[in-house]
Amino acid sequence: MPNADEHAPAAANGGQQPPKPAAAGRLTTGDAMTGTATGLGTFSWVDRTGGQLSAAERRSLLRPLAQALAVNAAGRLLMLVKLNSGRRAQVVPTQLLPPSSALTRAAEVQAHRRLSPALLNHSYRTFAFGAALGALENLIFDRELLFAAALLHDVGLPTAVRQVDFTLGSARVARDVAEDVGLSSAATETIRSAITLHYSPNVTLAAGPVAYLLSAGAAVDVVGLRSWRLPPELLASVVARHPRLGFKREFSAAFRTEAARVPHGRARFLRSYGAFDLAIKLAPFTG
């Protein structure tokens, strides 16, 4: 198992020659996420704060939220008029296949044990969409770490406790899985921070490719962000393989519960500014 963000080129690119690495921190056209310089959303931040946002942190999220909503609306309009870039994009199907290792098998065991069918399928779709975006951007990333993070990113949601962000529970499960399979401390930290960052509205490549693609993949599935960059047949095939099973309804209910449990957390902030409710209505699929 490679250390965090060390990659086997053939595995990351469907067996082809390794792609040219993208510059760290580069934003591609249509990306509305704006950086993580303050550490907001990282594992250390969630562990220290429980996910509670200060007034200054809430203000700092306003701009990226507004940008994400604007970009999502524009992208969805392009999809509607069939001018989106995804209609011309191509992704090799093998690039979406889940990797197989002690880590990924252990992550799947925990995900199947802790998640409902709807949330479990969301986790598989999150990996597929994240991997597809990584392929389109020619990113080199650790597929095992991305898959493990995707399968475990929501395992803390069903059992979240008051005043603590649910991603901390997910990160703790990920740590236990990592320890059981002998993952390096650097790789473990990569997974944990990717999980706690994933629903912050400001995750860029500066946070590392695993965190960037986990957040991007989840955003495609939940609110449709960047869905216009993916081939329509890919979107359809991923959903056919991992059906939504009423996911939108279940996730909305779980998100409302999380917002109530952590009054000044990220979920409450997104709901209080209407960003989540508006964005989920723009999602490309129905639950």
Side-chain angles (χ1 to χ4, degrees):
M1 178 68 210
N3 288 335
D5 297 333
E6 291 180 0
H7 317 282
N13 198 33
Q16 303 177 25
Q17 289 299 314
K20 181 180 179 181
R26 174 177 61 82
L27 283 180
T28 57
T29 302
D31 291 340
M33 307 309 177
T34 58
T36 55
T38 64
L40 194 158
T42 61
F43 174 76
S44 60
W45 177 84
V46 176
D47 194 36
R48 183 180 72 254
T49 67
Q52 300 279 347
L53 293 165
S54 68
E57 287 169 335
R58 291 196 293 273
R59 289 193 298 270
S60 75
L61 292 176
L62 287 172
R63 183 174 179 179
L65 276 175
Q67 289 177 323
L69 286 171
V71 168
N72 204 8
R76 293 285 289 129
L77 178 61
L78 289 174
M79 290 182 76
L80 184 64
V81 299
K82 302 184 186 306
L83 293 176
N84 55 304
S85 62
R87 295 182 64 82
R88 301 179 298 278
Q90 292 186 335
V91 177
V92 178
T94 55
Q95 293 174 305
L96 307 185
L97 293 177
S100 180
S101 69
L103 171 65
T104 60
R105 290 190 292 272
E108 281 191 287
V109 167
Q110 290 299 321
H112 280 263
R113 178 179 147 203
R114 296 170 182 271
L115 295 174
S116 69
L119 284 174
L120 180 64
N121 281 357
H122 160 66
S123 300
Y124 282 109
R125 293 192 304 268
T126 292
F127 167 75
F129 293 145
L133 289 169
L136 289 175
E137 295 186 28
N138 289 327
L139 295 180
I140 297 177
F141 60 95
D142 192 313
R143 291 168 53 80
E144 292 180 29
L145 298 189
L146 178 61
F147 183 81
L151 266 289
L152 298 174
H153 77 281
D154 276 343
V155 294
L157 191 56
T159 56
V161 299
R162 293 189 64 83
Q163 307 301 319
V164 178
D165 192 294
F166 79 89
T167 61
L168 188 59
S170 299
R172 286 171 175 162
V173 173
R175 176 204 59 199
D176 293 342
V177 168
E179 289 180 351
D180 287 344
V181 300
L183 203 63
S184 71
S185 58
T188 301
E189 181 60 25
T190 293
I191 294 177
R192 292 198 305 183
S193 269
I195 287 172
T196 57
L197 276 166
H198 83 269
Y199 82 109
S200 292
N202 59 346
V203 184
T204 72
L205 276 171
V210 172
Y212 171 68
L213 293 175
L214 177 65
S215 180
V220 169
D221 197 49
V222 176
V223 298
L225 189 61
R226 295 188 180 95
S227 58
W228 55 87
R229 296 178 54 197
L230 297 175
E233 62 274 13
L234 183 150
L235 291 167
S237 67
V238 170
V239 173
R241 194 177 312 118
H242 303 292
R244 296 184 68 80
L245 303 173
F247 164 71
K248 190 184 295 187
R249 291 189 298 274
E250 181 175 331
F251 185 82
S252 294
F255 198 82
R256 285 194 296 271
T257 301
E258 167 67 10
R261 285 174 173 158
V262 189
H264 297 290
R266 287 173 292 172
R268 181 60 176 264
F269 173 84
L270 292 175
R271 286 192 60 80
S272 67
Y273 284 95
F276 175 79
D277 287 334
L278 177 58
I280 201 168
K281 292 174 183 175
L282 298 175
F285 315 117
T286 56

